Amino acid sequence: MNRLKFGFVIIIIIFFTSCKKNQKVELNSKTLITTSIAFEWILDSLDAAKGISYITHTIINNSTDTLDRDWTIYYNQLVGGPNQKSIPISIKVDQVNGTFYSIKPTNQFPILGPKDAYSYQYQMPVPVIRQSDVPLGMYLVKGEGSALTIKNVNITGLNSEVLSALPLENATKRYKENGFYKNVAPDIENTIIPAAKSVESGNGTLELNDNINYSISGDLENEANWLKYLLTQSFSGQVSKNKKGQIQLILNNLATEKEGTYSLIVNDKNVIISSSTKSGIINGISSLAQLINANYYKKPSKSISLPFVKIEDSPDYSYRGLMLDVARHFHSAQSVKSILDMMAFYKLNKFHWHLGDDEGWRVEIPDLPELTDVGARRGHTLDEVASGHLQPAYGSGPHPAHSYGSGWYSREEYIDILRYAAARHIEVIPEFDMPGHARAAITAMKVRYKKYMKEGNKEEAERYLLSDPADISVYNSAQGYGDNSFCVCRESTFAFVEKVLQEVIAMHEEAGAPLTTFHSGGDEVAYGSWQKSPVCKDFIKANSESISHSDDLQPYFTNRYKSLIAKYGLVTAGWEEYLLKNSSEGHDGKVLNPKFIGENMMPFVWNATWGWGREDMAYKLANAGYKTVMCNSAQLYFDMAYNMDPEETGLMWTGMVDAQNPYYLVPEDIYSLPRKKNKVGAVIDDDLFSNHIRLTEEGKKNILGIQGHLWSETVTSNEKIQYYLFPKSLSLSERAWNAYPQWADISDKEERWATMQKDWSVFTNKIGQHHMPLMDHLWGGIGYRIPLPGMAINNGKLNANIRYSGLRMRYTTDGSEVTRKSKVYNGPFTVTDNMKNIKMRAFTDNGRMSRESVLEL
């Protein structure tokens, strides 16, 4: 899964924002901010060899009042805290829980008069390289007063001078990387993503004018709605139904066709889309929409032309998935629907919805209002049960009503989204992580327990209780929590699971989209959970014949949970850990648990970072007989940063993930990649994998498909969703549909690598020349990431290139900022002595622009 492994992370910062106190200003009508204390953060230096960052804070009192010692600053830091031994005695820094930290002055901290300042230095035990990993959501509490969001921030030092020991992105490096991309205009019929299996091009075009009429053969009214929906993006005329339309949707009776298979024919008379499955009709319509030139999307016309073509197409995998995490940061129903539109357009058919985790519970469950009243709200508190909401996480800030950490889907919204997905033939797989990663639910049920105990109703108080009040177990989860595991020894825990399951099943039934698979998470249950729980000690004693130690409790929970899910006829899904058990013989102390072989359990395998040792876990599970979804973090975790640019948002614990990573993935032979890189970009020797398991012929039948993931620790808006997903998800779509590229069978590694790069170059032309212009206007525009230009000086001339040809580059040579009015780069130009730093940006068809690429002269 997505995990901020404290022991493996590259980046950590502690950063205190520029803050000012005593003035209270309303933000969004209600949110209080502070504007009288400035807080400067400086990265002084980096010892890359030792992995130590040296940081200075300066607190400046900009108010006209004296700043006493009765204040506390709170913040979130994704990947740990500072080296405590390096903190001066004037300051105290504490981990409140998880990623939530506080800083307080001690008696040695000076009282600051107006305009006074105080500086101190400390160390971070890891390299600090990017702003997206610094502590976020800074706010101040003075005495017993209100929480005041810290408004001003001054961060310096995250630049190439201080970070020179790291392989950072720069203009010349990008130029070299872009060197093999050739600007070759693809034929319009060959621009479909994912690429069709068989394409026969014809000579000529079909003109559709004024009134496009369509016809359907079979029960295809829903699919016709998708056709009309897409046509309105490029066609401004009328679209209406007719007995024998210009566009014919035909549901045939070829029962041998697998899910998603379709035929698309464009001739001189009409368009014919046929399939034996309704999902195939949807896919054929999406391919038709991609055949339409991007100019029509820019300015819809009453006349559009389509190239003559015959396409026969089918997917290699029945599972082509995308996961969205809404627990860490909430994303609206409209954002989810926009993702579902994009998935259908690019033929992804499984939407894995991560709805419950430590930091949030996002779906209304009748009879358990605390799950959303408490578990879906985050804000300042040191006592969550008393305040009735969770603490801030991932920079969500102190005010629950104005936080991207707060929010949930009502029952009606959830059902509406299910129907929206079903109309596009996308299956929704809900996930509520358990028994670990469950702090939001645990806290909510503590509040419920307190309420009923106050009423004297102990039976009702304990009905759904998920914790042992007397548990003093000490553990530390991947996100730093020591209280996020269900008490698996209580019957009330299983009563809770069944209650949630029943309500989710009911919503799916009402939506007309029956639930088939229930995902429990099951990952990263911290070792040490339950070891000092009186309830669990009694439980183990009472069940000594089958349970001898707390290590046996997670498999016990999995078995109980699996039986419960099976009672309702569902597939039990979870991350790979729920099918593993503790063992000194395995990597990370885990080996395959044979107890569950033959059960209806579907593992989602994520822990496949190059060099960690578990790259073959998906193959082990598939070879053992499990229907497996490959979720390799090093290729399919889209919340990872695109590259090593300090300004690039995203995490890096499993490495950097660009659109190349999923494109180069060969699910049936992950070792075929000739140049594997670890999380810091160093090439790994193939000898490391000589003893790794290979996928057997029988095991290949058990690989259901692949899934991309967008974990939302750093994703705070719909704009960021699109930035992370595109163009990465286009490569996901390609590889989920066409799982085994021809170059995978080339035996010579250098020849294989050259062929891979050539194919990737062709794919980038598809994206840059057709799909990016199309996405600029589809559904009002999709905010894909725009790459920065590469630049280099060769023989006295400035040369520039871009990864996705089709984007326009503009530049300045006097050091000024590049704007939409700057000169267009049309080819190499002479560099003269009077030029200053050359700056360049890439621009899209709708006027968006990349960050600046700078070449220092």
Side-chain angles (χ1 to χ4, degrees):
M1 265 196 75
N2 146 17
R3 307 302 150 191
L4 306 173
K5 298 273 187 180
F6 288 104
F8 296 101
V9 192
I10 307 177
I11 328 141
I12 294 184
I13 290 183
I14 190 167
F15 120 64
F16 296 141
T17 24
S18 311
C19 36
K20 302 179 180 181
K21 171 61 189 122
N22 290 337
Q23 301 170 14
K24 297 181 179 179
V25 181
E26 289 201 346
L27 177 68
N28 294 334
S29 299
K30 296 180 180 179
T31 304
L32 298 175
I33 64 174
T34 178
T35 58
S36 293
I37 299 173
F39 217 123
E40 298 182 349
W41 180 96
I42 302 173
L43 177 62
D44 298 312
S45 62
L46 172 68
D47 187 331
K50 295 181 179 179
I52 299 175
S53 301
Y54 297 89
I55 299 165
T56 292
H57 290 169
T58 300
I59 303 172
I60 306 168
N61 179 15
N62 281 336
S63 74
T64 57
D65 299 325
T66 297
L67 179 64
D68 213 330
R69 303 188 187 97
D70 59 342
W71 53 267
T72 305
I73 290 175
Y74 296 93
Y75 60 92
N76 293 119
Q77 186 172 351
L78 272 66
V79 287
N83 182 342
Q84 288 288 337
K85 294 181 179 179
S86 70
I87 298 173
I89 59 173
S90 57
I91 288 291
K92 190 174 189 299
V93 179
D94 290 318
Q95 181 184 15
V96 181
N97 208 345
T99 65
F100 189 36
Y101 287 81
S102 69
I103 179 170
K104 298 179 182 180
T106 68
N107 289 333
Q108 282 72 39
F109 192 95
I111 294 176
L112 298 182
K115 309 306 179 183
D116 284 348
Y118 177 74
S119 299
Y120 61 92
Q121 190 181 63
Y122 68 97
Q123 300 173 15
M124 294 297 294
V126 291
V128 174
I129 70 166
R130 67 181 65 244
Q131 293 189 9
S132 64
D133 299 293
V134 305
L136 303 169
M138 308 287 292
Y139 64 93
L140 181 141
V141 177
K142 194 171 188 302
E144 299 298 322
S146 300
L148 305 174
T149 300
I150 297 174
K151 181 182 179 181
N152 302 316
V153 176
N154 186 13
I155 304 172
T156 58
L158 293 175
N159 53 52
S160 58
E161 292 180 7
V162 178
L163 303 174
S164 59
L166 299 175
L168 301 179
E169 284 287 309
N170 57 45
T172 54
K173 182 178 180 181
R174 281 189 290 270
Y175 183 82
K176 182 178 181 181
E177 290 173 349
N178 293 340
F180 69 88
Y181 297 119
K182 305 302 179 184
N183 188 346
V184 180
D187 297 330
I188 186 69
E189 65 271 17
N190 292 324
T191 58
I192 294 173
I193 294 177
K197 291 290 195 297
S198 172
V199 179
E200 296 180 18
S201 300
N203 294 316
T205 59
L206 172 66
E207 302 296 324
L208 299 176
N209 301 307
D210 296 325
N211 183 12
I212 297 177
N213 54 72
Y214 68 90
S215 61
I216 60 175
S217 176
D219 180 19
L220 294 174
E221 289 290 353
N222 170 73
E223 290 65 35
N225 288 334
W226 180 243
L227 172 67
K228 291 185 286 186
Y229 183 48
L230 289 185
L231 284 177
T232 59
Q233 302 296 309
S234 59
F235 179 68
S236 61
Q238 297 295 314
V239 180
S240 56
K241 186 177 178 181
N242 204 326
K243 286 187 177 180
K244 190 171 184 179
Q246 295 165 292
I247 301 178
Q248 300 173 15
L249 307 181
I250 301 172
L251 190 64
N252 58 43
N253 296 315
L254 299 176
T256 56
E257 285 187 0
K258 59 185 177 180
E259 179 276 331
T261 299
Y262 69 94
S263 171
L264 168 61
I265 297 173
V266 180
N267 56 36
D268 60 346
K269 295 180 179 179
N270 49 33
V271 176
I272 303 171
I273 299 173
S274 61
S275 177
S276 65
T277 66
K278 294 182 179 180
S279 63
I281 298 294
I282 290 285
N283 291 335
I285 293 169
S286 295
S287 286
L288 174 66
Q290 291 186 31
L291 288 177
I292 299 173
N293 190 286
N295 288 328
Y296 292 113
Y297 288 92
K298 181 178 182 179
K299 187 177 181 181
S301 170
K302 289 186 177 181
S303 175
I304 59 176
S305 62
L306 295 167
F308 291 171
V309 70
K310 181 180 180 181
I311 295 174
E312 300 290 337
D313 202 9
S314 62
D316 288 344
Y317 286 136
S318 61
Y319 193 107
R320 305 181 300 279
L322 182 67
M323 188 225 72
L324 176 68
D325 165 25
V326 297
R328 274 52 180 276
H329 286 139
F330 181 71
H331 299 289
S332 70
Q334 188 55 47
S335 291
V336 173
K337 287 181 177 181
S338 69
I339 290 173
L340 294 170
D341 282 340
M342 297 172 205
M343 289 178 64
F345 193 74
Y346 288 108
K347 304 184 182 71
L348 300 174
N349 67 344
K350 307 288 184 181
F351 179 57
H352 176 179
W353 206 358
H354 189 80
L355 294 159
D357 210 296
D358 293 321
E359 301 86 2
W361 181 282
R362 303 305 184 185
V363 179
E364 177 187 10
I365 300 296
D367 301 327
L368 297 177
E370 294 84 4
L371 282 173
T372 47
D373 290 348
V374 178
R377 297 170 63 243
R378 298 207 299 254
H380 173 64
T381 181
L382 298 180
D383 188 337
E384 294 164 308
V385 174
S387 65
H389 60 73
L390 303 178
Q391 293 168 340
Y394 305 116
S396 57
H399 305 292
H402 300 277
S403 166
Y404 43 76
S406 298
W408 67 90
Y409 309 103
S410 68
R411 191 175 187 278
E412 291 73 22
E413 284 179 310
Y414 185 83
I415 291 171
D416 180 54
I417 290 170
L418 291 178
R419 288 172 175 160
Y420 199 86
R424 287 148 181 74
H425 294 282
I426 295 171
E427 180 184 359
V428 176
I429 299 173
E431 179 193 354
F432 302 91
D433 219 334
M434 58 183 78
H437 279 286
R439 195 169 181 276
I442 292 169
T443 304
M445 292 303 97
K446 286 180 180 179
V447 173
R448 184 182 186 277
Y449 172 82
K450 179 183 177 181
K451 178 181 72 173
Y452 283 107
M453 287 298 288
K454 188 175 181 179
E455 296 175 2
N457 190 344
K458 184 178 180 182
E459 180 180 357
E460 190 60 34
E462 294 183 342
R463 184 183 300 276
Y464 299 115
L465 187 61
L466 298 173
S467 56
D468 173 6
D471 188 0
I472 57 171
S473 299
V474 177
Y475 58 88
N476 190 33
S477 75
Q479 280 72 32
Y481 294 112
D483 54 356
N484 74 337
S485 295
F486 282 179
C487 180
V488 300
C489 308
R490 302 188 67 99
E491 282 303 308
S492 56
T493 291
F494 296 98
F496 172 85
V497 173
E498 186 159 20
K499 173 65 175 175
V500 171
L501 178 60
Q502 289 171 341
E503 296 294 344
V504 171
I505 289 173
M507 287 188 283
H508 280 254
E509 291 291 339
E510 188 171 334
L515 185 67
T516 64
T517 305
F518 195 73
H519 200 298
S520 71
D523 64 308
E524 295 184 332
V525 178
Y527 189 78
S529 299
W530 316 301
Q531 289 184 355
K532 295 183 179 181
S533 162
V535 170
C536 285
K537 287 181 179 179
D538 291 343
F539 180 81
I540 293 171
K541 185 176 180 180
N543 295 273
S544 58
E545 291 184 2
S546 58
I547 300 175
S548 60
H549 190 273
S550 59
D551 287 356
D552 300 325
L553 290 176
Q554 185 172 1
Y556 159 76
F557 173 84
T558 302
N559 190 56
R560 282 284 304 271
Y561 171 85
K562 176 262 302 179
S563 299
L564 182 58
I565 302 300
K567 186 173 76 170
Y568 292 90
L570 304 176
V571 174
T572 303
W575 304 107
E576 69 221 55
E577 289 99 322
Y578 87 138
L579 294 178
L580 306 179
K581 67 176 183 177
N582 292 322
S583 172
S584 60
E585 299 177 2
H587 177 77
D588 283 350
K590 300 283 186 179
V591 295
L592 195 66
N593 190 343
K595 182 176 183 178
F596 300 117
I597 294 177
E599 302 288 347
N600 193 19
M601 304 178 78
M602 181 192 301
F604 287 57
V605 185
W606 67 274
N607 192 349
T609 299
W610 292 119
W612 282 16
R614 278 169 63 172
E615 297 83 0
D616 60 354
M617 183 55 69
Y619 294 171
K620 290 179 180 178
L621 289 162
N623 291 347
Y626 290 108
K627 299 297 183 182
T628 301
V629 178
M630 294 183 67
C631 306
N632 300 31
S633 58
Q635 293 83 28
L636 300 172
Y637 271 33
F638 296 163
D639 58 304
M640 297 297 110
Y642 279 87
N643 55 46
M644 286 285 283
D645 187 338
E647 294 186 46
E648 195 69 56
T649 61
L651 304 176
M652 288 180 59
W653 60 265
T654 190
M656 293 156 286
V657 176
D658 199 344
Q660 277 180 296
N661 297 68
Y663 187 84
Y664 284 166
L665 172 67
V666 181
E668 293 182 5
D669 184 10
I670 60 171
Y671 315 110
S672 65
L673 180 62
R675 299 182 184 179
K676 308 170 188 64
K677 295 183 179 180
N678 64 15
K679 63 181 182 179
V680 295
V683 176
I684 298 176
D685 195 321
D686 273 347
D687 289 343
L688 285 175
F689 310 104
S690 59
N691 295 323
H692 277 45
I693 297 296
R694 264 58 178 174
L695 192 63
T696 65
E697 288 303 313
E698 194 63 30
K700 291 179 182 179
K701 301 175 184 177
N702 293 321
I703 299 293
L704 296 178
I706 64 176
Q707 178 170 278
H709 303 76
L710 186 58
W711 299 98
S712 67
E713 287 94 335
T714 62
V715 185
T716 57
S717 65
N718 190 52
E719 290 75 20
K720 285 191 176 181
I721 287 176
Q722 296 180 6
Y723 184 91
Y724 280 114
L725 286 184
F726 294 96
K728 294 178 185 180
S729 60
L730 302 187
S731 296
L732 165 70
S733 168
E734 178 66 30
R735 194 55 64 236
W737 191 270
N738 299 302
Y740 203 85
Q742 293 181 347
W743 40 258
D745 285 328
I746 298 176
S747 58
D748 182 80
K749 289 175 61 175
E750 291 305 314
E751 181 183 353
R752 189 188 326 145
W753 178 242
T755 306
M756 289 170 65
Q757 289 185 303
K758 180 180 178 180
D759 284 3
W760 169 240
S761 180
V762 172
F763 192 69
T764 63
N765 277 275
K766 280 190 182 187
I767 294 175
Q769 295 184 45
H770 183 60
H771 284 267
M772 283 181 169
L774 186 155
M775 288 190 292
D776 284 336
H777 307 286
L778 183 65
W779 296 305
I782 297 172
Y784 56 85
R785 177 184 180 270
I786 308 168
L788 280 66
M791 291 185 285
I793 298 175
N794 296 322
N795 298 320
K797 290 184 178 293
L798 188 286
N799 291 261
N801 57 18
I802 194 77
R803 171 168 292 193
Y804 301 105
S805 61
L807 294 170
R808 178 171 293 181
M809 294 179 283
R810 294 179 181 272
Y811 69 95
T812 63
T813 60
D814 60 0
S816 63
E817 181 181 354
V818 181
T819 70
R820 294 174 180 86
K821 296 181 179 180
S822 300
K823 292 181 181 179
V824 175
Y825 175 81
N826 291 316
F829 59 85
T830 301
V831 178
T832 61
D833 293 338
N834 64 337
M835 290 181 178
K836 298 182 180 180
N837 292 341
I838 299 175
K839 297 182 178 181
M840 189 172 289
R841 295 183 194 263
F843 288 80
T844 68
D845 191 55
N846 62 350
R848 293 193 307 118
M849 59 187 177
S850 70
R851 298 193 307 278
E852 280 190 336
S853 181
V854 180
L855 183 66
E856 297 182 356
L857 299 181

